[in-house]
Amino acid sequence: MDEVHNLLAGSYREQRRFLNMLRFLSNDLCASLVVFGVNEAAEAVRGDEQLARRLDEHFLPLWDDDVEFSQLVQTLIAAMQLERGSGLSLQSLRTILAVTGGVTSRVFTMIKALAIEAIETGEERITDEAVQSWQPIWAKHSWTVRNQPQPAF
């Protein structure tokens, strides 16, 4: 289940009903649950002690300037099925990393937006120039990159 943190928007009673439903689904289907969300998702799940004991918390780390990040970007661009190759420079990869703050969802959003722009302009490839001039939509919302929580031992 994605965006489980949204259950915090409900009343206490609605939250309890939703968490009970998750437990019921897990029991009834004899299936493991996987829930996703922002940092508040952990808080949302902790509202039900039994459910919280069933789930392990894992945090996605921010991307680094490395081969894995380059492979991620190349894979995303290939998935966009543009008509022309988009061989981006190392500087463009670093720009993508800097603009997105290494946040996975922002990387996906940026590549998708660049691909749409490439199709709309007829370029049919993501260029270094497009990467350098791209403006993030999240700047309007003044999001900040949060520090990753440190695991408790």
Side-chain angles (χ1 to χ4, degrees), residues 17-148:
R17 290 177 68 194
F18 183 79
L19 292 169
N20 285 335
M21 185 266 311
L22 287 179
R23 254 189 302 115
F24 172 78
L25 280 175
S26 175
N27 292 337
D28 199 47
L29 299 175
C30 296
S32 298
L33 291 177
V34 178
V35 296
F36 298 93
V38 297
N39 289 342
E40 288 80 11
E43 178 185 332
V45 171
R46 286 186 202 122
D48 184 303
E49 190 175 327
Q50 291 178 9
L51 186 61
R53 276 191 245 136
R54 297 179 191 188
L55 301 173
D56 294 328
E57 294 179 20
H58 299 276
F59 296 92
L60 290 177
L62 299 176
W63 288 95
D64 289 319
D65 184 3
D66 59 14
V67 172
E68 287 182 338
F69 179 71
S70 175
Q71 290 172 337
L72 170 71
V73 171
Q74 290 172 24
T75 300
L76 290 174
I77 291 172
M80 298 298 142
Q81 299 183 351
L82 297 170
E83 291 181 10
R84 298 174 57 200
S86 300
L88 295 178
S89 68
L90 183 58
Q91 181 58 41
S92 286
L93 291 172
R94 288 183 175 151
T95 298
I96 293 169
L97 186 62
V99 167
T100 63
V103 176
T104 302
S105 64
R106 291 182 183 180
V107 174
F108 278 67
T109 298
M110 183 174 182
I111 297 301
K112 179 181 171 185
L114 287 166
I116 290 169
E117 181 181 315
I119 292 167
E120 288 175 344
T121 63
E123 182 72 35
E124 285 295 332
R125 68 186 179 115
I126 298 173
T127 63
D128 289 328
E129 294 78 20
V131 170
Q132 299 305 321
S133 64
W134 189 77
Q135 294 295 312
I137 56 174
W138 53 82
K140 293 186 253 180
H141 307 290
S142 59
W143 292 350
T144 58
V145 177
R146 295 184 181 177
N147 292 333
Q148 294 294 305

